[in-house]
Amino acid sequence: MPIKWILHWQPNAGTTVNSQILTEVSQCAEGINGVKEGRWKATISFYRAITREQANANEFPRDFLGISLSELPSKYYLVIRGQRLVLEAESSIQTIMEKLQSYRTRVALNFEGNQYQLGDFQLRVGKVAPLHSESLRGIVMEMEYIPISSWEKSHQIMGEFFDLWQEALSKRSLPGHFVHIEPNFAEFGLSDQYTAQHTAVQYASIMAQMIATAQSVQPVRN
Amino acid sequence: MECVVQGIIETQHVEALEILLQGLCGVHRERLRIHELCLKSGPNLGLAASEVRLLCDLEQPEPTWTVRHIGGAMRGAGAEQIPVLVRTLNESKVSKNALRFFYSLGYKLDHELLRVGFAFHFQKGAQITVTVSSVNKMLKLHATDEAVPVTPGIQLVEVTAPASSENYTEVVAAVSSFCEYLAPLLHLSKPGVSTGVVPTAAAAAASLMSDGGGTTL
């Protein structure tokens, strides 16, 4: 499977994301000769333990995510980030989770947008919005390099392409920038050969980052 | 959903049953070696207790894992009258870290078993699976190599077929008519309704063995 980096938009201090930034980022992808090639989508659900007493909730993971990817509709990924655990399952696992009545999905976020082809690279730019809502919560970008599936070997070319992209985007003077977080895949038991489980771990990482950012800009309440 | 019936047979008659099944199904048997782990939710998890099974298929070159959830059986007067249990069943193939995953969610190991035997998969009015297996328990945690039979001399026979709310009556009919062919050797009934071994088993087995020995398959 080709390797990809998943990046998220980090707004400058005091600013928030808006649809104008998303438009400019999409224009930038077209501006560097990206050929628009249809849509892509990923969905992330947050699972929470169902407990009889609220006090018991802390016994159970609070960073448990379910991830579906439009390129692999028959699969579903479950990630418990704190425990460095990623499970690959068939999509029917969602029904099993429902039947067990031990965890329920609290919130679901859609990541969706356009896909652009640039030679051997594929760029996917999209918005992050709650299910059944248009409100923009973030911007995400998938950067895929088709010829290589080794994380290590692709590092240099991905870094160079990312620099190029940053440079193109900087001309638009947007109030923020894309951030690349590199999870320690080995901790999750994943090898250097890229798989969809690597994608799931990256989504879980940017999710954690986006939540941390959102919480840090919220006013402190007494 | 699935339709299911179960029965037991003495190990000495298993070979005869295999000959009979081979003749009825026209397919070859597959070896069966499944490590089954039954997990239950910890005391504080969920509004009600829940149970999930992990099945590890040890016959594969690289063992494969499946999560199985068995739901409630169909109820009502209609369900009581039919000779087959119809219940909800959901399965998902998963990566090999499934046990660690469910432990992390707050599930605990209740018990584990090793099923060793064989299975036939074939189409006869429905997609029927017959498994004949000895059920073994582990003396040490996960020690599948040192498993010992739970009921020495007795094996479990299970006939199952996937069904949906639209077609289950046809599937029930297909399963029960197939079970009639096995009647001389064993009696199959809804799980939990044990009917024991049948008195004609020895004679039927002897007849099958003598016939089976003379027929080139």
Side-chain angles (χ1 to χ4, degrees):
Chain A
M1 178 177 261
I3 84 110
K4 62 172 123 183
W5 284 10
I6 300 170
L7 313 116
H8 71 282
W9 182 257
Q10 177 83 52
N12 288 345
T15 67
T16 51
V17 286
N18 58 56
S19 56
Q20 182 56 32
I21 298 173
L22 181 62
T23 310
E24 295 238 19
V25 171
S26 305
Q27 282 170 356
C28 184
E30 285 173 38
I32 55 171
N33 296 325
V35 181
K36 207 192 261 189
E37 288 199 313
R39 310 273 299 166
W40 68 278
K41 187 176 168 184
T43 305
I44 298 187
S45 302
F46 292 75
Y47 282 93
R48 276 288 162 83
I50 301 172
T51 52
R52 261 160 285 190
E53 285 169 44
Q54 193 57 37
N56 298 129
N58 290 332
E59 287 177 34
F60 305 104
R62 300 177 72 87
D63 54 354
F64 172 25
L65 303 177
I67 303 172
S68 68
L69 307 167
S70 60
E71 70 231 50
L72 289 166
S74 64
K75 294 282 169 75
Y76 197 72
Y77 297 87
L78 294 160
V79 182
I80 307 172
R81 201 172 146 270
Q83 312 209 15
R84 302 289 184 262
L85 191 56
V86 53
L87 183 85
E88 182 174 59
E90 290 178 307
S91 52
S92 52
I93 192 82
Q94 293 171 86
T95 316
I96 295 177
M97 292 306 296
E98 255 171 60
K99 299 260 180 195
L100 286 176
Q101 292 270 304
S102 51
Y103 283 79
R104 71 167 140 243
T105 53
R106 291 276 295 253
V107 195
L109 290 176
N110 272 338
F111 294 65
E112 58 182 323
N114 291 319
Q115 185 169 309
Y116 303 89
Q117 187 83 33
L118 288 104
D120 284 338
F121 288 93
Q122 214 158 48
L123 272 187
R124 300 187 186 94
V125 178
K127 62 172 185 179
V128 183
L131 211 63
H132 314 301
S133 160
E134 285 299 306
S135 77
L136 187 73
R137 296 289 170 84
I139 296 170
V140 72
M141 188 169 79
E142 286 193 1
M143 220 171 82
E144 182 171 306
Y145 184 60
I146 295 156
I148 297 183
S149 56
S150 155
W151 184 264
E152 208 51 52
K153 284 185 188 137
S154 62
H155 220 268
Q156 192 182 346
I157 190 156
M158 291 299 278
E160 284 168 10
F161 184 78
F162 185 47
D163 288 346
L164 222 82
W165 166 258
Q166 295 278 62
E167 199 186 311
L169 200 61
S170 67
K171 290 173 188 148
R172 293 173 185 262
S173 312
L174 297 171
H177 60 285
F178 278 103
V179 180
H180 174 229
I181 309 168
E182 193 165 325
N184 187 339
F185 294 120
E187 285 181 0
F188 286 85
L190 301 176
S191 75
D192 179 62
Q193 286 298 306
Y194 197 83
T195 64
Q197 296 186 55
H198 291 72
T199 301
V201 168
Q202 289 197 72
Y203 269 110
S205 300
I206 65 163
M207 217 47 256
Q209 192 62 41
M210 284 169 66
I211 292 168
T213 309
Q215 283 170 346
S216 69
V217 298
Q218 264 175 11
V220 181
R221 269 178 279 183
N222 290 324
Chain B
M1 279 166 96
E2 73 162 0
C3 294
V4 58
V5 283
Q6 286 178 346
I8 54 171
I9 188 167
E10 289 176 74
T11 302
Q12 55 180 329
H13 302 322
V14 164
E15 201 181 337
L17 176 62
E18 189 185 334
I19 290 169
L20 178 60
L21 286 169
Q22 172 94 53
L24 289 170
C25 317
V27 292
H28 286 284
R29 65 168 213 172
E30 286 170 24
R31 277 156 44 128
L32 185 88
R33 193 175 161 82
I34 291 178
H35 182 190
E36 183 175 320
L37 300 111
C38 178
L39 307 177
K40 289 191 174 167
S41 54
N44 298 324
L45 182 62
L47 298 178
S50 56
E51 187 179 303
V52 67
R53 280 159 208 273
L54 300 185
L55 311 179
C56 180
D57 185 348
L58 299 170
E59 264 309 309
Q60 305 302 320
E62 178 78 22
T64 55
W65 289 82
T66 304
V67 178
R68 170 181 285 179
H69 179 263
I70 298 170
M74 202 169 74
R75 287 186 218 168
E80 272 167 35
Q81 277 164 19
I82 54 176
V84 174
L85 185 77
V86 183
R87 63 188 181 190
T88 56
L89 174 80
N90 286 284
E91 286 189 331
S92 169
K93 289 201 171 68
V94 285
S95 48
K96 63 183 178 195
N97 52 355
L99 183 60
R100 204 187 128 210
F101 172 76
F102 278 100
Y103 281 161
S104 298
L105 293 190
Y107 281 80
K108 312 245 181 281
L109 182 66
D110 185 68
H111 63 273
E112 56 181 344
L113 297 169
L114 178 71
R115 291 178 193 274
V116 182
F118 56 88
F120 285 92
H121 304 279
F122 55 95
Q123 178 73 37
K124 217 175 186 70
Q127 188 54 50
I128 298 176
T129 296
V130 182
T131 62
V132 182
S133 59
S134 86
V135 179
N136 300 273
K137 61 183 173 188
M138 265 68 89
L139 301 176
K140 279 187 269 173
L141 189 69
H142 308 329
T144 49
D145 293 337
E146 297 167 43
V148 294
V150 176
T151 50
I154 298 280
Q155 302 213 5
L156 179 71
V157 182
E158 205 170 52
V159 180
T160 57
S164 67
S165 50
E166 284 83 41
N167 76 350
Y168 77 87
T169 40
E170 290 103 79
V171 177
V172 166
V175 169
S176 29
S177 78
F178 179 78
C179 291
E180 282 173 27
Y181 293 113
L182 308 180
L185 271 180
L186 82 158
H187 189 260
L188 293 148
S189 57
K190 295 179 182 180
V193 188
S194 177
T195 42
V197 293
V198 298
T200 54
S207 153
L208 278 159
M209 294 303 283
S210 62
D211 183 38
T215 316
T216 340
L217 294 170

